[in-house]
Amino acid sequence: MLIPKPAQSAYENADTDIREMLDRMIAELQATPSWEQRSTQFLEIIDALELAFEGDEDADEEYDGEAEGLDAADLDDDDLDEDDELDGDEFDDEDDEYVESQAAADGKVNGWHADDVVPADDGDDDDAVVVEEFADVLPFYVGAVLERLGETKIERPEQAAFYLLSCHPEHTEAAQSWLEKGANMKRFQKFVDDTPDYEAILEMMDERYGEEDDDEDEDE
């Protein structure tokens, strides 16, 4: 499945300090030869970002020193509820339906690509976006990194999994289109089944944006 170039650049809209951190992430992922291995590396990067978002002093160690410079000045930190630990058991039919609903419901992924949140570099900018939860800022980081990887097509479930998390609608739409082909959804579900850390991310995003959708329905 071909990946259109995003109409707007998340990377270029980021502050210089954040772009430098993104460059380190991108270089690390580019040095990883396959998406099977890259997905593990990407999850470690996301884990380090969440630790930094929460103000954890050990965040740089989690990223093996690669994320030096990411601190509370880069993201407005806030305490998040820790995800429940997952046991990696086989999915049942209900789990399969949950994954499919998160991956392809209503032609979008919970609407998080629409928020276009760019992290503020400090608290002095009057126009800075105040980020309350890690789920608010994760799509920006994923989208900016994928944007700079410059890939032209989706070929594997691990790859589609991260394009689903992107802030770019072009990325999420390409991933959803890939999932609709043949047995790709089953391949994706197997990846989620084998990767509890990724499932936890899906659940975090669903909790954040599902609540938002419920509020909008109540207002109507």
Side-chain angles (χ1 to χ4, degrees):
M1 182 57 58
L2 297 180
I3 306 169
K5 182 179 180 181
Q8 297 182 331
S9 172
Y11 178 88
E12 296 297 336
N13 285 336
D15 177 77
T16 301
D17 290 341
I18 293 177
R19 285 203 301 270
E20 290 175 356
M21 183 187 65
L22 289 168
D23 287 339
R24 292 193 290 273
M25 296 177 187
I26 294 160
E28 187 167 345
L29 291 173
Q30 285 175 331
T32 308
S34 72
W35 263 101
E36 189 172 12
Q37 297 168 303
R38 185 176 285 176
S39 63
T40 300
Q41 191 63 53
F42 217 148
L43 286 170
E44 290 176 358
I45 289 172
I46 290 172
D47 184 55
L49 283 171
E50 184 170 8
L51 288 172
F53 182 86
E54 294 175 335
D56 193 313
E57 294 179 358
D58 295 328
D60 288 341
E61 285 183 24
E62 286 290 322
Y63 194 31
D64 293 328
E66 292 295 326
E68 280 185 29
L70 177 62
D71 53 25
D74 294 319
L75 298 172
D76 294 318
D77 60 350
D78 189 25
D79 291 331
L80 300 178
D81 293 332
E82 293 184 1
D83 292 311
D84 292 336
E85 206 170 293
L86 301 169
D87 57 14
D89 289 338
E90 289 295 322
F91 270 23
D92 55 25
D93 291 340
E94 186 175 331
D95 292 324
D96 288 344
E97 290 174 6
Y98 170 77
V99 172
E100 185 167 354
S101 70
Q102 303 320 304
D106 299 326
K108 65 178 184 177
V109 183
N110 289 331
W112 59 71
H113 61 260
D115 282 4
D116 196 26
V117 174
V118 178
D121 60 323
D122 56 50
D124 298 328
D125 187 351
D126 292 337
D127 296 325
V129 176
V130 177
V131 180
E132 296 181 352
E133 297 188 24
F134 182 60
D136 292 330
V137 77
L138 177 60
F140 161 79
Y141 281 105
V142 173
V145 167
L146 293 175
E147 173 191 327
R148 298 297 285 185
L149 285 179
E151 296 180 315
T152 59
K153 58 183 178 179
I154 295 175
E155 299 178 297
R156 293 190 56 85
E158 301 94 341
Q159 183 185 16
F162 289 93
Y163 278 85
L164 285 173
L165 298 176
S166 174
C167 63
H168 293 303
E170 295 88 351
H171 288 170
T172 58
E173 288 165 9
Q176 289 159 2
S177 295
W178 184 87
L179 289 173
E180 293 168 3
K181 303 293 183 182
N184 287 345
M185 179 60 76
K186 288 185 178 179
R187 295 172 64 194
F188 172 73
Q189 288 170 345
K190 185 178 187 307
F191 167 73
V192 178
D193 182 28
D194 293 340
T195 316
D197 286 346
Y198 179 81
E199 188 191 20
I201 292 172
L202 276 186
E203 291 180 346
M204 175 186 71
M205 301 302 286
D206 182 47
E207 181 179 351
R208 174 71 176 98
Y209 289 92
E211 289 176 357
E212 207 168 78
D213 291 342
D214 291 342
D215 291 341
E216 289 177 3
D217 291 341
E218 289 176 6
D219 292 340
E220 292 177 0

